[in-house]
Structure formats: C-alpha cells, structure tokens
Amino acid sequence: MEKTSSKRDLAAIEKEIAETKAALADVHGTPTEVYARIVGYYRAVRNWNKGKRDEFDHRRMFDVNTKSSIYMTTPADTSCCSAPAEPVQIPVQQEVSESGIASYEFYARKTCPNCPPVKAYLADITLPGTMIDVDTKEGLAQAAQKGVFAAPTVIFYDAAGQEIARGHNVEELSVIQQPAIAVAV
C-alpha cells in the first residue's frame, strides 16, 4: 500500500493558522464557580455576604512544599490602617528567662480577630520580641520562610536563636511560658 502525502504550501499553512487564531479568539467559556469553606461548610463564594467576601479577598494560599505564598486575590485598600514598614520592637525588661526562652517573633495581620488578645498577652511578658505584619510583602516572605501558615503565631527562641516553641493563642502561650516567663505586674 502506497502512502500519499499531501503537500501544503506556505499560504495554506498561514491561512490555517489564521483560522485557528480567529477561532481561539472567539472562545467563550462559562464562569467558574469557586467554593470555599465558610463557617464549617463549603459554599459558593459568589453567595457569601459582603463581610465574608471581603475576608475571603484577604486570604492567601500557601504552598506547603515550597513554604511560599501566592496571592489568591489582591487585598483591598488598607490605607486607612497602614502598617509600619519596619517590624515593631516591643520593649525589653529581661533578656533571658529561667527556661531558656530568650526572645519571640509575633506574626500578625490587621484583619485577624485573634491577634489583639495575643498582642495584649505579649505586652505583659518580660521578653524581647518582634511583631511581624504578614500583610506586608516582607512579613509574608519571612512567615513563609519560617513555615508560619496562620495568624496569630508566636515563635519562641532560645539564646542561640533556635526555635523552641510555637503558640497560636493565649491559652497555648500560657502553657508554653508557665512558669518560664515572668509576667510584668
């Protein structure tokens, strides 16, 4: 059986490419339905109320394997409550506690409802610490580098700079620091 090959000239190929490009330019898909977890169950994001939708727009998606983050959407304008460009240093009353905890890093967000109680708790302890705002690019990069995937997160370090504990709320911090960190009276 003989093979027959059809030879096309350059004009025919260019015409076919132009037709394909025109067909691709006229492709119309359907809107994608995005589902996300809200108050214990999954629901279409387009059906969320304004407050939950705004909260969703501030979420960031993390890639656990590379410990880097990807913006799902651009955060809303936060000029009314802008964060300082540099990490905030918290006053030092004592350098090293009896347990070997020498310092901490506090990862927080402006929109985090659980961050203010943790911040108030940390203001009463006698350790040097740094607050890192993960709403900034630098803060988010530092959080990704340290494997911080939630706000609030507090990482405690020993005098050598080695991580020795993490806590995410006042109850966890109380357990970590008992009786290690003296609370200012």
Side-chain angles (χ1 to χ4, degrees):
M1 186 182 246
E2 271 184 48
K3 279 189 170 180
T4 59
S5 63
S6 65
K7 295 202 177 210
R8 299 183 299 174
D9 61 351
L10 185 59
I13 294 172
E14 287 178 356
K15 180 182 175 190
E16 186 178 334
I17 290 172
E19 289 171 355
T20 304
K21 284 183 179 179
L24 288 174
D26 195 37
V27 172
H28 300 288
T30 58
T32 301
E33 190 72 42
V34 177
Y35 282 80
R37 186 180 170 110
I38 179 173
V39 193
Y41 60 94
Y42 287 90
R43 184 172 178 195
V45 172
R46 68 183 172 96
N47 295 329
W48 290 8
N49 68 35
K50 183 182 184 309
K52 287 292 181 187
R53 178 58 199 220
D54 188 50
E55 182 183 308
F56 177 78
D57 290 342
H58 282 82
R59 291 183 188 177
R60 290 184 171 85
M61 186 171 54
F62 287 89
D63 182 356
V64 179
N65 296 329
T66 63
K67 295 184 181 178
S68 66
S69 66
I70 304 166
Y71 283 100
M72 289 178 66
T73 59
T74 304
D77 179 28
T78 56
S79 58
C80 66
C81 47
S82 62
E86 297 294 319
V88 177
Q89 290 292 331
I90 298 171
V92 177
Q93 294 178 0
Q94 180 182 351
E95 287 300 320
V96 180
S97 68
E98 297 90 38
S99 71
I101 297 175
S103 64
Y104 66 86
E105 290 178 339
F106 172 40
Y107 294 86
R109 296 191 68 201
K110 290 183 287 276
T111 58
C112 168
N114 298 322
C115 291
V118 171
K119 184 176 182 177
Y121 181 84
L122 292 172
D124 290 337
I125 66 172
T126 57
L127 284 176
T130 305
M131 185 179 110
I132 298 150
D133 184 0
V134 295
D135 286 328
T136 65
K137 284 185 180 181
E138 298 82 17
L140 187 60
Q142 189 173 354
Q145 181 183 20
K146 300 281 177 98
V148 174
F149 299 112
T153 296
V154 180
I155 303 175
F156 291 99
Y157 296 96
D158 62 12
Q162 297 294 318
E163 179 181 334
I164 55 176
R166 286 187 185 210
H168 302 285
N169 55 45
V170 173
E171 293 78 24
E172 290 178 5
L173 297 176
S174 298
V175 171
I176 292 168
Q177 64 94 21
Q178 294 292 338
I181 302 170
V183 176
V185 185

